[in-house]
Amino acid sequence: MASAKVFIFAAADATGESHRMLERAGCDLLIGKAGWETPRGDNEEEMRGMAQGAHALIGTSIRSSPITRRIMMSSPELRVVSKYTIGVDDIDVDSATELGILVTHAPTESNWGAVAEGTIAMMLMLLKRLRQRDEQVKAGGWRDPALTGTYLGSRASDGYPGITLGIIGMGRIGRRVSNLLRPWNLRIIGYDPYVGDDVFAAHNVTRVELPALLGTSDVVTLHVVLTPETRNLIAAPQLALMKPSAVLVNTSRGGVVDEDALAAALRAGKLDAAALDVFAEEPLQPESPLRGLGNRVVLSPHMVAANAGGGLGGLGEGVRWATESVLAALRGQVPDHVYNQEAILQWQERFLGRAVLSG
């Protein structure tokens, strides 16, 4: 039996163990320039050439050239595009589905749970003025009243009501954020048109519409996937609804927020602060208006899920899941963690039981 060809378009396993797993199974590997540390690699034309004859594509997030229809059509034998991470916004999933190609991802708890924890860390950094306090003490200062923090929860002693947290997107991450903050006794509201009332009730979150959430919340945190519907979900009109004292946290995808509009709102004092782990262009471009906003923004290099023992780095959970998905597909089996479930029937007609790997 001939070898299966696997194109690793954006590597994430510095140890190479997952690559050796594929090679031991009988795969020939071709590795692109992109990687976890830098999501920019080969352009579309280069990737089309590298994908020719490939049975599988695998990798982490890639920004220089998403996995387009043209790239996938470079190989009639392509069975699966497998991501080491949760997000699939860098894959043309609709085209993959039309072509009968499975897209798998890695919704590991080490990833989405870490995003929830990092979201709360960013929120606390802004509300408690931690960075400014650190800078003041290191510069020889002491106890500036301007660095008074925000108390999050309600207080029975003096009737303080606590802040209102608005969660946009009640998927795994949004739910975990609400669960982690439940003991803090703050009011939590949420917006998600695709989730039932039972989910909101189970996580002690009050369902509201988006304008009400933006106008009421002291902190707005985004936990949505990037789709045509959510692109620039938070732009100038939405920012104008928020309180001048409010904080925006985005650990979802950069394209969800209009960065120019956000920078303008922060400069004009129409919003107090923002924390961003994700950006429309990654790495963040030198000319980005977000870079000149000082302590009004916390900027993180898309690493909120990067924790010891997490899904990436060596044979982490996400890397292992994605590798196992590729091996299953190459053996003619439907892999776990298929994102485009609607493609499975067509895929089965094309590939079920038709192995390009033995064993």
Side-chain angles (χ1 to χ4, degrees):
M1 183 174 292
S3 297
K5 178 180 175 180
V6 177
F7 173 30
I8 303 175
F9 54 83
D13 179 2
T15 71
E17 180 54 32
S18 63
H19 302 178
R20 290 187 288 273
M21 285 176 60
L22 292 167
E23 289 172 331
R24 287 194 295 267
C27 299
D28 288 334
L29 307 185
L30 187 60
I31 301 176
K33 298 174 186 174
W36 180 70
E37 292 82 3
T38 171
R40 296 189 172 276
D42 305 283
N43 63 40
E44 185 184 38
E45 287 305 312
E46 290 172 325
M47 292 180 69
R48 287 185 66 212
M50 298 172 84
Q52 287 183 7
H55 297 86
L57 308 183
I58 186 171
T60 186
S61 297
I62 186 167
R63 291 290 180 262
S64 53
S65 178
I67 307 302
T68 63
R69 185 185 190 94
R70 295 181 72 227
I71 291 172
M72 289 185 281
M73 289 184 67
S74 298
S75 176
E77 301 301 318
L78 184 63
R79 299 179 173 215
V80 63
V81 180
S82 187
K83 287 292 298 293
Y84 297 140
T85 57
I86 295 177
V88 295
D89 54 286
D90 48 6
I91 300 172
D92 185 344
V93 176
D94 290 340
S95 289
T97 300
E98 292 175 14
L99 296 168
I101 298 167
L102 297 184
V103 176
T104 70
H105 64 152
T108 64
E109 188 172 4
S110 61
N111 189 309
W112 57 261
V115 173
E117 292 181 357
T119 296
I120 294 171
M122 286 180 151
M123 183 177 73
L124 290 173
M125 177 180 287
L126 293 174
L127 294 178
K128 300 298 185 181
R129 311 289 188 194
L130 298 180
R131 185 166 56 173
Q132 295 94 317
R133 293 175 183 181
D134 172 71
E135 289 176 353
Q136 188 196 37
V137 173
K138 288 177 177 175
W142 195 252
R143 288 188 179 173
D144 183 346
L147 302 185
T148 299
T150 299
Y151 193 96
L152 276 70
S154 61
R155 295 191 298 256
S157 61
D158 62 356
Y160 174 75
I163 70 167
T164 296
L165 170 68
I167 300 175
I168 300 177
M170 283 296 294
R172 297 180 185 90
I173 299 170
R175 297 174 200 179
R176 176 62 67 87
V177 169
S178 67
N179 291 345
L180 291 173
L181 288 172
R182 184 176 295 184
W184 291 61
N185 295 323
L186 62 157
R187 180 181 179 229
I188 304 178
I189 60 178
Y191 168 74
D192 191 326
Y194 301 104
V195 170
D197 290 340
D198 56 328
V199 172
F200 283 82
H203 297 276
N204 201 33
V205 177
T206 301
R207 180 195 284 275
V208 297
E209 293 302 313
L210 183 58
L213 183 146
L214 294 171
T216 305
S217 300
D218 299 290
V219 178
V220 173
T221 181
L222 292 157
H223 303 293
V224 298
V225 296
L226 181 60
T227 66
E229 183 180 4
T230 62
R231 185 172 293 279
N232 287 335
L233 178 67
I234 304 299
Q238 292 74 35
L239 292 166
L241 296 175
M242 295 178 65
K243 300 177 182 180
S245 59
V247 165
L248 178 70
V249 180
N250 185 18
T251 56
S252 60
R253 284 295 185 267
V256 174
V257 175
D258 181 333
E259 293 172 3
D260 289 337
L262 174 61
L266 290 166
R267 281 196 304 267
K270 296 179 180 179
L271 197 67
D272 184 64
L276 307 169
D277 182 60
V278 289
F279 307 94
E281 292 289 333
E282 295 179 356
L284 182 64
Q285 299 301 294
E287 65 274 15
S288 169
L290 297 170
R291 289 185 179 272
L293 294 170
N295 285 326
R296 283 193 173 274
V297 292
V298 170
L299 305 179
S300 171
H302 204 152
M303 286 188 70
V304 72
N307 292 277
L312 297 177
L315 192 58
E317 193 175 18
V319 174
R320 178 172 53 80
W321 281 22
T323 303
E324 290 172 351
S325 291
V326 165
L327 292 173
L330 297 182
R331 290 171 178 144
Q333 304 161 0
V334 176
D336 294 331
H337 315 299
V338 175
Y339 182 84
N340 57 339
Q341 295 275 320
E342 60 275 23
I344 290 177
L345 285 178
Q346 183 182 353
W347 189 91
Q348 289 175 323
E349 292 175 0
R350 298 179 64 204
F351 299 119
L352 187 65
R354 299 172 189 171
V356 290
L357 290 179
S358 59

